[in-house]
Amino acid sequence: MNVNGCHYRTIWLKESDPKIVQIINQQALPFKFEILDLSTFNDVVTAIKDMYVRGAGLIGATAAFGMYLASLEAGEKSFNKDLALAANLLKNTRPTASNLTWAADRMLKTLSAFNGSLERKREAARLEAMTIANEDAAFCKRIGLHGLEIIKKISEQKNGENVNILTHCNAGWLAFVDYGSALSPVYAAFDQGIKVHVWVDETRPRNQGASLTAWELCEHGVSHDLIPDNAGGHMMLNGLVDMVVTGADRVTREGDAANKIGTYLKAIAAKENNVPFYVAFPSSTFDFKMKSGVKEIPIEERDSSEVRFITGKTKEGKIETVQICPDSTPARNWGFDVTPAKFITGLITERGICEANEKGILSLYSEQTNNGG
C-alpha cells in the first residue's frame, strides 16, 4: 500500500539492521504516521498485546517475526526450550485470532526440526518469518481478485452506478502484511475503474473503522463515509447497502466466523434485508479443529478503560484522551463476537469463494477432510 506516494508493508526487517523488526504504529493513526523499531522478543509481545499491531494476518506475521527475535536471544543448548516458551507467550497475548497460534506453531515446528548450528537456526527463523509475511500478502492479493468478481456483478446489475459496500472494523492492508482481506476486493475494483463507495463503521470502542479504515481509504482515494456503528440496519432497510464484507479472526470448519464485536448484528440485519454478507480471510484464519464457533471460539475480553475513555484530536490539534461516563460506572469490553454460518452468504479466501459450511469449505481445502475436531 502507498502512503504519501511511498510503498509500505505493515511489517518488515530494517534494511540497515535485519535484527530489528519495523512496524507501522497503529496507535498513532490516523493523526500521525510513525514507524516503530522492535528489537527484542518482549517488544513484539507488547506490540501485539497493546495493539500497536492488530488484525488477524498482521498479528500472525508479527508472531513469526517475534519467533525470529526469540531465536536471536535463545541459547544454543536451550534453543528448542526457549523457542517453545516464546511461542506460548505469544499465543497468550490475543486468544481469539487463529493466525497468531498458527504462525507461532509453524515457526516452532520448522525450527525444532532444523538441524544445524545456532547461526543457521537463526537464519532459518528469519527466512521462515519472511515466507509467512510474503504468503500473507500474496494470499490477500488473491482474495481481492476473487472478491472483485462479486463487485463486478453488482456493478453490472446497477449499470455502472456506485457499489455501496459496508464494512466493520479494519480488515484492510493495516490488518495484514499488505492488500488486506475485506478491503482487498474494494481496492481491486477501484483500481479497475469500478465505482465503489464504502460505508465505514466507526467500530467502538477502539474506533478502528474511524481511525484505520477511513485513513486507508483516504490514502487510496476511495470514496467513503464514516457512519455510527448502529446506522447499518437503517441503511440496509432503506436500500443503501449493496453488500457487506468483513474480515475474520477465526473461522471454524463449519463456517462460523469470529470478528470484531458488532459484526453479528450487521449479519442479522443483512439477512433480514436480503443484503449479501461476505467474510474475507486467508486460510491461516481457519481453525479446522473447531466446529461450533459460539461454543468453542475463545472471546477476548479487554480492559474496561477502552470503553470508558476515548482518544481524539481537539480543535487546537492536540491529541487527548477523555472519559465519557460517570466516574463510578464500570464497563465490560468483549473484543469479538461470532457470526453463525447461516447468516453468511459466502467465504472469500485465497483459493476462491465458497459457501459457509463444511462441504463448501472442504471443496476448497480437501486436504483438511480428516482434520476435524
Side-chain angles (χ1 to χ4, degrees):
M1 181 63 64
N2 289 331
V3 180
N4 297 322
C6 296
H7 180 263
Y8 287 90
R9 283 186 167 187
T10 52
I11 188 167
W12 63 95
L13 292 178
K14 192 171 185 177
E15 187 174 352
S16 61
D17 186 353
K19 293 183 179 180
I20 294 177
V21 177
Q22 294 190 295
I23 60 169
I24 295 170
N25 179 11
Q26 297 192 27
Q27 293 272 32
L29 291 172
F31 307 119
K32 182 181 180 182
F33 181 74
E34 180 180 71
I35 294 172
L36 296 180
D37 287 352
L38 308 179
S39 57
T40 69
F41 172 75
N42 284 335
D43 287 344
V44 172
V45 171
T46 299
I48 295 174
K49 187 175 182 180
D50 293 345
M51 295 178 70
Y52 290 93
V53 297
R54 29 74 46 218
L58 178 55
I59 289 175
T62 306
F65 281 111
M67 291 292 284
Y68 163 59
L69 292 185
S71 77
L72 299 180
E73 299 171 10
E76 186 168 7
K77 294 182 178 180
S78 59
F79 187 84
N80 288 347
K81 182 180 179 180
D82 292 343
L83 268 291
L85 178 61
N88 285 332
L89 288 171
L90 285 168
K91 287 188 281 188
N92 287 327
T93 56
R94 302 289 308 277
T96 299
S98 178
N99 310 64
L100 192 158
T101 295
W102 169 85
D105 285 345
R106 174 170 162 176
M107 290 289 294
L108 191 61
K109 182 179 179 180
T110 298
L111 297 174
S112 61
F114 188 86
N115 293 318
S117 66
L118 183 59
E119 288 307 311
R120 287 188 64 193
K121 287 181 179 180
R122 289 169 172 171
E123 177 62 8
R126 185 187 71 83
L127 292 175
E128 187 68 3
M130 293 287 292
T131 298
I132 288 173
N134 289 336
E135 281 181 6
D136 185 78
F139 285 5
C140 284
K141 185 175 183 179
R142 286 187 224 166
I143 288 169
L145 296 177
H146 292 305
L148 169 63
E149 297 305 312
I150 300 171
I151 298 175
K152 275 184 177 179
K153 289 181 181 178
I154 297 174
S155 177
E156 290 168 359
Q157 293 168 358
K158 296 187 70 175
N159 297 315
E161 295 181 8
N162 266 337
V163 179
N164 295 302
I165 302 167
L166 187 146
T167 191
H168 187 69
C169 196
N170 175 260
W173 72 280
L174 284 167
F176 293 83
V177 176
D178 208 346
Y179 298 101
S181 60
L183 289 186
S184 188
V186 173
Y187 294 136
F190 178 85
D191 291 345
Q192 287 200 10
I194 298 172
K195 293 181 180 179
V196 289
H197 180 86
V198 182
W199 300 114
V200 181
D201 277 356
E202 59 186 344
T203 323
R204 284 279 294 145
R206 292 189 65 95
N207 295 318
Q208 294 99 323
S211 61
L212 303 178
T213 299
W215 180 80
E216 278 193 38
L217 295 171
C218 284
E219 289 293 323
H220 206 81
V222 179
S223 172
H224 63 282
D225 283 297
L226 179 66
I227 59 172
D229 283 347
N230 290 328
H234 162 78
M235 296 172 70
M236 291 184 225
L237 183 64
N238 287 278
L240 298 175
V241 180
D242 295 309
M243 66 179 289
V244 181
V245 59
T246 72
D249 288 80
R250 191 186 298 246
V251 179
T252 71
R253 70 185 293 114
E254 294 184 347
D256 298 339
N259 193 52
K260 184 57 58 183
I261 192 77
T263 302
Y264 173 51
L265 293 176
K266 297 300 186 300
I268 293 174
K271 187 78 169 181
E272 176 68 21
N273 291 283
N274 297 312
V275 174
F277 182 98
Y278 290 93
V279 180
F281 57 95
S283 55
S284 55
T285 302
F286 274 120
D287 189 333
F288 288 102
K289 294 184 178 180
M290 283 189 179
K291 292 184 177 181
S292 171
V294 175
K295 293 180 180 179
E296 297 181 73
I297 295 177
I299 299 299
E300 176 184 6
E301 185 168 0
R302 296 182 59 81
D303 193 274
S304 64
S305 63
E306 294 180 349
V307 177
R308 299 181 69 252
F309 294 85
I310 193 168
T311 299
K313 185 167 71 172
T314 68
K315 291 181 179 180
E316 294 75 28
K318 295 181 179 180
I319 309 301
E320 294 187 358
T321 298
V322 297
Q323 184 175 306
I324 62 170
C325 62
D327 291 343
S328 60
T329 296
R332 299 292 296 273
N333 184 17
W334 292 278
F336 304 88
D337 59 25
V338 174
T339 297
K342 65 182 180 180
F343 294 106
I344 300 172
T345 305
L347 306 176
I348 310 173
T349 79
E350 79 278 359
R351 294 192 187 181
I353 303 170
C354 67
E355 292 184 354
N357 55 49
E358 188 168 11
K359 181 179 178 181
I361 292 167
L362 293 181
S363 72
L364 295 180
Y365 297 89
S366 59
E367 73 274 15
Q368 299 292 339
T369 299
N370 298 317
N371 192 28

